[in-house]
Amino acid sequence: MSEQLPIKIEEKLYQNTIFEGLTPEQIAQVLPCIALAVKHYEPDECVADRQRPLQELGVVLEGDLVVCDDGDKVVDSIGRNGLLGESALAASAQLPHRVVASKGAQVLYLSGAFFLSPCGKSCENREAHQIIVGNMLRLLSERTITLNKKIAYLTAEDLKTKIAMYLWELYQLNGSPTFNMPLNRDRLAEYFSVARPSLSRELTNLRNMGIIDFHRSSVTIQDTDALQKLAGR
């Protein structure tokens, strides 16, 4: 369901890649040119698929999204402050995957046209507009790097290395040795194309080695040097 923009939403967006380099005050000024609506999704509700293609850029304000293939296998995840649909803004093709709000989510939708042509509104935010578009170009470059990382996961020599690479990336993204994994065990096993018992066994092995500890989705890195070495980073 669509909602009005939350009060002081600019404070949430201040840490988002798209708005990097702008103050909350500047974000508030530019939102009328770019923001369309906020939508709330229930757990397991479909956000987008081939029948419901995206024509806007989505920013995840709360919750997590998972990207699934035709067989409902997880191929990617999008967490808080993550972006949805950035690679399809200028494409006419349908989305190749289905996007689902795994545990429920709140998504802010931004105008796709904003990134493809100059703003037609009479405003004094041209510099902010240029910064946002520049951030988008940088983000698309980083997305290419992320896809290369996924290929690295798939070509890693064993499951333990895949898990170490994944946890090392989450550690760097969160900037803290303790964080929540965005995917549950079933989804993560699908992501790595392995059986869940195999995934659980390797996570337990890493805990027995003193490298990590975990409880449900929460993970704590106990030996960053060992994890970095195992991940080949």
Side-chain angles (χ1 to χ4, degrees):
M1 57 181 283
S2 297
E3 306 171 357
Q4 292 182 338
L5 296 183
I7 298 175
K8 294 186 177 180
I9 189 176
E10 62 273 11
E11 295 180 3
K12 283 188 175 182
L13 298 175
Y14 178 62
Q15 301 295 329
N16 189 273
T17 304
I18 286 294
F19 298 97
E20 187 173 326
L22 300 179
T23 65
E25 292 76 16
Q26 289 175 310
I27 295 173
Q29 291 172 358
V30 80
L31 280 178
C33 300
I34 187 174
L36 297 178
V38 171
K39 292 185 179 180
H40 176 77
Y41 296 95
E42 298 297 328
D44 295 324
E45 183 176 352
C46 182
V47 177
D49 58 20
R50 293 180 180 179
Q51 284 69 45
R52 285 167 282 189
L54 288 172
Q55 297 179 330
E56 305 91 16
L57 176 73
V59 179
V60 180
L61 299 178
E62 301 292 343
D64 295 290
L65 307 179
V66 292
V67 183
C68 306
D69 63 14
D70 290 339
D72 207 32
K73 176 182 175 182
V74 174
V75 296
D76 201 357
S77 63
I78 307 171
R80 184 175 180 272
N81 262 333
L83 300 178
L84 169 67
E86 70 278 10
S87 60
L89 282 179
S92 58
Q94 295 177 325
L95 289 176
H97 302 301
R98 187 167 64 95
V99 182
V100 178
S102 58
K103 300 178 182 178
Q106 187 183 50
V107 179
L108 166 68
Y109 285 98
L110 307 178
S111 170
F114 176 91
F115 297 94
L116 303 177
S117 60
C119 176
K121 298 182 180 180
S122 298
C123 59
E124 300 178 356
N125 300 312
R126 298 297 181 185
E127 182 179 354
H129 292 187
Q130 292 174 356
I131 290 174
I132 292 173
V133 172
N135 287 341
M136 172 60 77
L137 293 174
R138 178 166 55 85
L139 186 145
L140 290 174
S141 297
E142 292 173 351
R143 173 63 71 174
T144 300
I145 295 173
T146 299
L147 291 174
N148 289 335
K149 289 180 180 179
K150 178 64 185 296
I151 293 174
Y153 290 154
L154 296 176
T155 57
E157 61 181 15
D158 54 40
L159 179 56
K160 186 179 296 182
T161 303
K162 291 180 182 180
I163 296 172
M165 293 168 65
Y166 179 74
L167 295 179
W168 180 254
E169 182 179 355
L170 290 177
Y171 165 63
Q172 291 187 308
L173 287 173
N174 286 274
S176 169
T178 299
F179 50 83
N180 287 322
M181 291 192 295
L183 300 178
N184 62 30
R185 295 284 181 88
D186 289 329
R187 293 294 193 181
L188 189 58
E190 291 177 1
Y191 185 70
F192 288 138
S193 299
V194 298
R196 173 171 171 160
S198 299
L199 174 67
S200 297
R201 182 169 56 250
E202 288 300 341
L203 285 170
T204 300
N205 287 340
L206 289 172
R207 180 168 61 185
N208 293 339
M209 294 168 64
I211 296 177
I212 66 169
D213 194 12
F214 58 86
H215 177 68
R216 295 184 177 177
S217 63
S218 177
V219 175
T220 298
I221 308 301
Q222 296 183 317
D223 190 336
T224 55
D225 290 339
L227 183 68
Q228 182 178 15
K229 182 177 180 181
L230 187 59
R233 297 294 187 247

